[in-house]
Amino acid sequence: MAVTDVADQGRIRTVVEELEQVLLEFIRKHQITHSEYRAATDLIIDSIKAGEESLLFDVFFEAEATDVGNLGRECSPEAIEGPFYLPGAPVLTGPLNVMPQRPDEKGEPLLFHGRVTGTDGKPLGGVELDLWHADADGLYSNIHPNIPDYNLRGRFTSEPDGTFRVLTILPPPYEIPKDGPTGTVLRALGRHFFRPAHLHIKLRRRDYEEMTSQLYFQGGEYLDNDVAGAVRDGLVIALHTVDDTTLIAEQGLNRPYTDARYDFVLAPAPAHQA
Ligand SMILES: [Fe+2]
């Protein structure tokens, strides 16, 4: 959404004028000098030149904005999108969807499955689930070099009973890019660059509100000190190892896999609310 898409011009005026006042007070309180002010604006300009404008702001502020958006919601909590989403991922065909991956894709197999319902508890078929995540080296296709386009990015649809399942690999914790302006700031603050392992997902159905989520894994590293400060209790899911040979064969695998379940609840779009 662009600022020009905000229908309420009064809202824009309110928040921009208040932000202006907050920053003016901040400059006075901390006696920010002209050179310090220029260093700050140069940092933003440099982040744009480095393609990090989203990363810089997402690391510090996006989780707070999603918390505000989740207040009073009856549906599943939203989570940060992060800077690495890409529209137009390949469409997968079920009932067992397999994420696009290299023939020798590294990583433990992960079966991610669950059910989508509305806030009334009724199952929702025909929901598009748009999943993306890092590879076993913590890298994203179309962002980092030498990875096939749309690797580990895919869209699939929930079944009429609301269920979905997709076979992929278990992503690891990873360091966000640290060689650009965002890394410079984090280093100056003495912070590390790691995010806990996670899946990114968007859910869409025409008559329901689109939802962006991010799911983390119980027991994983960096859950308590995510560089983006984005982990929330309702977004941490359990992992189970499955070594039953029948179930392994059902997934078309020849080795044990990890099973993770999450059930999504979508809210009706305002025009479709009863
Ligand atoms: Fe990510």
Side-chain angles (χ1 to χ4, degrees):
M1 183 164 80
V3 168
T4 48
D5 294 334
V6 177
D8 184 351
Q9 294 298 308
R11 168 77 170 166
I12 295 176
R13 189 167 173 175
T14 299
V15 296
V16 171
E17 287 186 344
E18 185 158 339
L19 177 63
E20 181 184 22
Q21 291 306 314
V22 166
L23 292 177
L24 288 171
E25 176 58 29
F26 174 85
I27 290 169
R28 281 191 292 270
K29 177 181 175 185
H30 293 282
Q31 292 291 285
I32 301 296
T33 65
H34 192 198
S35 61
E36 287 173 332
Y37 166 80
R38 278 292 163 211
T41 54
D42 285 350
L43 174 77
I44 294 173
I45 293 166
D46 289 346
S47 73
I48 294 168
K49 287 179 180 170
E52 287 192 5
E53 64 276 18
S54 182
L55 180 69
L56 178 65
F57 291 104
D58 292 352
V59 162
F60 290 96
F61 304 115
E62 189 179 7
E64 191 69 24
T66 56
D67 284 347
V68 170
N70 285 329
L71 290 173
R73 282 167 69 97
E74 291 179 31
C75 51
S76 300
E78 285 220 286
I80 67 170
E81 177 174 313
F84 300 145
Y85 173 67
L86 197 65
V91 174
L92 314 180
T93 51
L96 175 57
N97 305 288
V98 180
M99 286 287 271
Q101 55 194 275
R102 291 159 282 196
D104 57 349
E105 192 71 44
K106 290 191 293 182
E108 297 297 317
L110 170 68
L111 180 69
F112 174 53
H113 63 106
R115 191 161 178 255
V116 188
T117 62
T119 47
D120 58 4
K122 291 180 180 166
L124 293 180
V127 176
E128 182 181 76
L129 296 99
D130 193 344
L131 179 70
W132 75 104
H133 63 81
D135 70 9
D137 293 322
L139 305 175
Y140 284 83
S141 61
N142 303 78
I143 302 295
H144 300 97
N146 306 319
I147 304 173
D149 283 352
Y150 290 103
N151 201 61
L152 299 175
R153 297 176 185 270
R155 290 180 288 160
F156 47 95
T157 305
S158 63
E159 300 294 321
D161 64 356
T163 59
F164 67 88
R165 57 180 185 153
V166 61
L167 193 60
T168 186
I169 60 107
L170 196 58
Y174 65 77
E175 286 186 301
I176 65 168
K178 59 183 179 184
D179 296 329
T182 308
T184 301
V185 176
L186 291 171
R187 205 169 281 112
L189 295 172
R191 298 185 190 177
H192 68 73
F193 306 98
F194 277 94
R195 299 222 59 223
H198 58 269
L199 302 173
H200 294 273
I201 194 163
K202 287 177 177 284
L203 288 84
R204 306 181 184 95
R205 204 177 99 156
R206 187 184 54 79
D207 44 348
Y208 283 80
E209 287 188 2
E210 180 172 321
M211 191 178 75
T212 300
S213 187
Q214 188 168 148
L215 300 170
Y216 307 88
F217 308 124
Q218 273 178 16
E221 284 184 280
Y222 305 107
L223 289 174
D224 295 331
N225 58 352
D226 173 17
V227 65
V231 180
R232 303 290 181 269
D233 287 346
L235 301 171
V236 182
I237 58 178
L239 296 179
H240 305 283
T241 300
V242 177
D243 52 14
D244 180 283
T245 51
T246 305
L247 289 173
I248 290 172
E250 254 180 41
Q251 318 310 333
L253 297 170
N254 56 11
R255 56 184 169 135
Y257 64 91
T258 298
D259 175 288
R261 174 174 184 150
Y262 188 81
D263 296 330
F264 294 96
V265 179
L266 297 186
H272 293 82
Q273 283 175 348

